[in-house]
Amino acid sequence: MLRINCPFCGTRDHNEFTYGGDGSISYPELDAPMEDWIKAVFERENICGRQTETWQHTLGCRMWLRVERDTVTHEIFSVTPADPKLAVACGDDA
Amino acid sequence: MSQFSAWSVFWNGLSGQKGWTRQWRDSEPQTKYDVVIIGGGLHGLATAYYLAKNHDVGKIAVLEKGWIGGGNAGRNTTIVRSNYVLPGNREFYEHSLQLWEELSHELNYNVMFSQRSHVTLLHNPGAVDAVARRYNTMRLTGNNDVEMWDLERLKATIPHLNYAPSARFPITGAAVQTRAGTARHDAVIWGYARAADKLGVDIIQQCEVTGINTTQGAITRIETSRGSIETNKVGLAVAGNTSRLWQMAGLGNLPIESHKLQAFVTEPVKPLLDQVVVFGMGGAHFYMSQSDKGGMVFGGDLDWYKSYAQKGNLPVAEDVTASAISIMPCLSRLRVLRQWAGIVDMSMDGTHFICKTPLSNLYLNGGWNYGGFKATPASGWHFADLIASDRPNTLIENFDLERFARGVNIDERGAGPDPKLHG
Ligand SMILES: Cc1cc2nc3c(=O)[nH]c(=O)nc-3n(C[C@H](O)[C@H](O)[C@H](O)COP(=O)(O)OP(=O)(O)OC[C@H]3O[C@@H](n4cnc5c(N)ncnc54)[C@H](O)[C@@H]3O)c2cc1C
Ligand SMILES: [Zn+2]
C-alpha cells in the first residue's frame, strides 16, 4: 500500500486516491499548432524513476495533488496541492 | 535436437526419460548479425521464428537481458480470444487465432492450446445490447464462433456460478466465443525458442542492451552487457520497457505508459471450470480459468498507478478475490498459492504498434496493454514481414505511431487517451 500524505487530510492509504497521470505535461495554447497538441495529449516520457504525477483525494477532500514518486521503488518524496496558488498558501515555495 | 513424436514420448517413458536433450543452444553473442531482435519474450521469439522461416534475412539474434520468458511472457493469465470489433483488430486477432489453432503442429511442441471458450457474464439489458452489437458485427464480418447464451444454457454449462437472484449483480446470460481459450505460456515460449534455434537463430540470454548507436538516422551498433554488436536491422520487442529502449535510441516520447498488472493462482483442485469466465460490472473487472494442474488462475485490473516495479499491491488482491467469491462462492475456502505482477506497455488507445520508426532500420513492436499473449503468433508473423520487407502490409498499416495525428485511434473500449483505462 502506498501512503500519501494529503496536505489537507493527513496520511492515508492510496486507495482513497485516484491516480491522475503525468504531472509534467503542460497543455499548449488553444491556437497552438496541431503537433503540439498531439504531443501533449498522446505522448509520454514514461519515466522509470523519480516522476511528478497528479492524484485526486477522491474519497477525502477531493483536492488534486501533485506527488513526486519513484516509479520503481514507489517511494514518495513530496505531496503538494496541484493548484500552484494553494501550494504557495500551504508553504510550498516551488 | 530430436523431433517430438508419440513414439519418442513412449520410448522415453520406458527408458527412464533419459533420452531428452537440450531444447535450444546457449548461444554466445557474435560481433555481427543481419537482424537483432531486442527482447526474449513471446513477441521477440515469435518474430525471430517467422523471420527465419518465412523470409531470407541472414543471421538473426534475439537479445534477452534476463532469461527468456522472464517478463510478461511467463506472467500472464494465458487467455486467447479474438472477439475484437474494430476494423484492423478484428482481422489481426482472427489471423492470430488461426495461427494458434495450428501452433503445436507448426512448432512440433505441445503448447496445450485449449479452445475451452471464453464466457463473458452479462447482468443487465445495456450490457446485452452492447455485446450483441459487437458480436453481430463480428458475425457480419465473417467470424461465426460468437454466441449469446441465455440463462438456461449458461446454467447447464457452468452450474456452480452464483445464480442467486439476490446476488449484487444477478447473472442474466453470457456472451461466448467458442474458439477462444487458454494455452500454456511457458510452452509457447519454449516452443518458439526451440523452433527458432533449429532454424539457426541465436538466442542470447543474460545480454542486456545498454546503448544504441546511430549514424545518419540509422542504427549501426548495439552495446550490450556482453559486448558490442553490429547489425543491419533492429526489431524492438521489450513490452514494459519500450519507452526506456526508445529513449536509449534518442527518440523521445511514445504514446505508451508502463503499468503493472497482477495475477493470482490458487492451490490445485479437481476439475471445476472448463471455460474462461469474465466478470465486469459496477467497476469490477475479473477473469478466471483453471490451469491444467488444477489451480484457479485469477486476474483483474491494473494497479491504477504507473509503475516499473514487478510487484503488485494489496487493494487489487482484495478486489480480485472479492470478485471471485461473488461470482463463484464455492471458491471462498481455496487458498491463493502465488501472486505476481508484470509491467505492461499500456498505449494511448489500447491498441498495439507494429511499425516503422524515425530510424530507418529500427522497427517497433509494443503497446500490447494486457492482451499481448493472444496476439503472439500474428504479432511475430507480421513483425517479421515488416522487418524483412521494410513496408507495412495492409493489415497492419494503422498499427503505427502516426495514427493519432491522422485521427485514427483504435480504441476498443472508447476510453480515450488515458493508458490505464484500456484494460
Ligand atoms: C499479469 C498479466 C496477465 C496477462 N494476461 C494476459 C492474458 O490473459 N491474455 C493476453 O493475451 N495477454 C495477457 N497479458 C499480456 C501479455 O503477457 C503481454 O502483452 C506479452 O507477454 C508482451 O509481450 P512479450 O511476451 O514479448 O513481453 P515480455 O515477456 O515482457 O518480453 C520483453 C522482454 O524484453 C526484455 N528486455 C527488456 N529490456 C531489455 C534490454 N534492455 N535488453 C534486452 N532485453 C530486454 C525483458 O527482460 C523481457 O524478457 C498479461 C500480462 C500480465 C503482466
Ligand atoms: Zn485530502
Side-chain angles (χ1 to χ4, degrees):
Chain A
M1 190 75 79
L2 310 185
R3 300 272 287 162
I4 298 176
N5 187 3
C6 173
F8 305 102
C9 311
T11 304
R12 303 292 175 84
D13 288 352
H14 82 265
N15 54 347
E16 282 190 15
F17 300 77
T18 308
Y19 180 68
D22 190 332
S24 69
I25 306 161
S26 58
Y27 287 99
E29 294 296 316
L30 284 178
D31 56 357
M34 187 63 92
E35 299 85 80
D36 295 0
W37 273 100
I38 288 164
K39 284 202 170 78
V41 175
F42 294 111
E43 294 179 7
R44 296 290 176 266
E45 194 178 346
N46 196 13
I47 291 171
C48 179
R50 198 168 170 145
Q51 76 165 14
T52 309
E53 57 197 26
T54 56
W55 289 77
Q56 187 187 16
H57 196 181
T58 14
L59 300 181
C61 61
R62 300 197 63 81
M63 294 300 274
W64 277 95
L65 308 172
R66 188 176 298 279
V67 176
E68 245 194 309
R69 182 179 64 100
D70 191 305
T71 59
V72 185
T73 63
H74 297 167
E75 185 183 351
I76 292 175
F77 304 101
S78 70
V79 186
T80 52
D83 182 328
K85 286 191 212 107
L86 269 178
V88 172
C90 289
D92 180 41
D93 43 30
Chain B
M1 165 218 328
S2 51
Q3 182 84 354
F4 290 121
S5 63
W7 167 247
S8 66
V9 171
F10 177 70
W11 175 248
N12 276 285
L14 288 181
S15 58
Q17 308 289 1
K18 294 206 180 82
W20 305 115
T21 50
R22 252 196 102 86
Q23 297 299 302
W24 60 86
R25 294 165 296 139
D26 185 17
S27 303
E28 287 292 316
Q30 296 174 19
T31 51
K32 186 172 183 347
Y33 286 96
D34 295 293
V35 182
V36 165
I37 305 293
I38 308 177
L42 291 157
H43 294 243
L45 292 166
T47 304
Y49 169 72
Y50 291 110
L51 264 176
K53 184 178 177 237
N54 298 345
H55 308 277
D56 182 17
V57 291
K59 196 78 189 123
I60 305 163
V62 176
L63 309 183
E64 166 53 49
K65 76 170 172 192
W67 64 95
I68 59 167
N72 296 344
R75 294 167 190 258
N76 61 77
T77 46
T78 77
I79 300 170
V80 175
R81 59 187 173 87
S82 72
N83 53 351
Y84 285 70
V85 75
L86 295 179
N89 273 352
R90 235 162 37 208
E91 295 78 7
F92 178 80
Y93 285 104
E94 180 53 29
H95 183 202
S96 206
L97 189 52
Q98 285 171 14
L99 291 170
W100 273 109
E101 287 174 328
E102 287 304 316
L103 198 59
S104 291
H105 288 133
E106 169 86 25
L107 302 177
N108 179 236
Y109 204 90
N110 185 1
V111 300
M112 297 160 96
F113 183 44
S114 155
Q115 293 178 289
R116 56 183 69 181
S117 74
H118 178 273
V119 178
T120 307
L121 302 179
L122 302 173
H123 308 268
N124 62 26
V128 172
D129 289 351
V131 87
R133 185 189 137 265
R134 282 174 47 149
Y135 279 23
N136 280 336
T137 308
M138 288 182 62
R139 295 182 80 95
L140 284 171
T141 52
N143 193 332
N144 290 318
D145 72 323
V146 286
E147 301 170 355
M148 304 286 284
W149 287 5
D150 61 17
L151 198 54
E152 292 317 302
R153 179 148 179 213
L154 184 62
K155 278 183 177 170
T157 316
I158 314 178
H160 29 265
L161 294 176
N162 181 5
Y163 295 108
S166 59
R168 175 68 185 81
F169 297 109
I171 300 169
T172 59
V176 180
Q177 182 176 27
T178 55
R179 283 157 67 234
T182 58
R184 172 83 196 274
H185 49 9
D186 300 318
V188 184
I189 299 154
W190 299 331
Y192 272 118
R194 173 175 172 271
D197 174 89
K198 207 170 178 182
L199 295 170
V201 173
D202 283 359
I203 295 165
I204 304 160
Q205 304 188 87
Q206 309 293 337
C207 183
E208 179 171 3
V209 172
T210 53
I212 298 177
N213 299 318
T214 60
T215 322
Q216 294 175 333
I219 295 177
T220 47
R221 250 174 336 104
I222 299 217
E223 305 301 338
T224 79
S225 54
R226 296 178 68 180
S228 166
I229 296 175
E230 243 183 279
T231 178
N232 298 334
K233 290 185 175 186
V234 179
L236 192 59
V238 291
N241 285 298
T242 306
S243 297
R244 302 176 68 191
L245 274 288
W246 192 252
Q247 281 151 15
M248 221 180 257
L251 292 171
N253 296 356
L254 275 177
I256 290 177
E257 262 185 20
S258 296
H259 284 259
K260 69 181 141 84
L261 181 66
Q262 303 191 45
F264 307 82
V265 65
T266 70
E267 58 192 324
V269 287
K270 287 187 175 172
L272 175 68
L273 182 65
D274 194 25
Q275 292 81 14
V276 175
V277 171
V278 183
F279 166 63
M281 190 63 216
H285 180 204
F286 171 72
Y287 35 96
M288 73 170 159
S289 62
Q290 187 169 19
S291 79
D292 290 330
K293 277 192 274 185
M296 300 302 294
V297 181
F298 300 151
D301 274 316
L302 295 172
D303 270 21
W304 295 125
Y305 53 88
K306 214 195 91 179
S307 174
Y308 277 94
Q310 283 174 319
K311 58 172 199 239
N313 221 322
L314 288 171
V316 167
E318 189 177 356
D319 289 353
V320 164
T321 43
S323 298
I325 292 164
S326 78
I327 67 160
M328 205 189 262
C330 67
L331 297 174
S332 68
R333 281 186 288 168
L334 282 185
R335 278 161 296 196
V336 171
L337 274 192
R338 284 183 294 127
Q339 165 273 357
W340 61 92
I343 304 305
V344 285
D345 34 342
M346 302 299 292
S347 72
M348 279 291 173
D349 59 356
T351 295
H352 49 272
F353 305 101
I354 301 178
C355 61
K356 298 185 61 159
T357 71
L359 298 177
S360 64
N361 60 351
L362 175 69
Y363 304 86
L364 172 66
N365 178 311
W368 291 102
N369 295 272
Y370 46 107
F373 179 66
K374 67 176 90 68
T376 301
S379 165
W381 197 98
H382 288 280
F383 196 40
D385 183 58
L386 174 71
I387 293 172
S389 66
D390 193 43
R391 45 120 198 94
N393 62 46
T394 49
L395 208 154
I396 63 164
E397 65 193 358
N398 280 328
F399 300 152
D400 63 347
L401 291 165
E402 290 78 38
R403 67 171 176 261
F404 302 104
R406 289 198 303 278
V408 186
N409 298 10
I410 310 175
D411 187 343
E412 285 278 334
R413 279 199 109 186
D418 187 346
K420 67 180 181 296
L421 300 182
H422 296 289

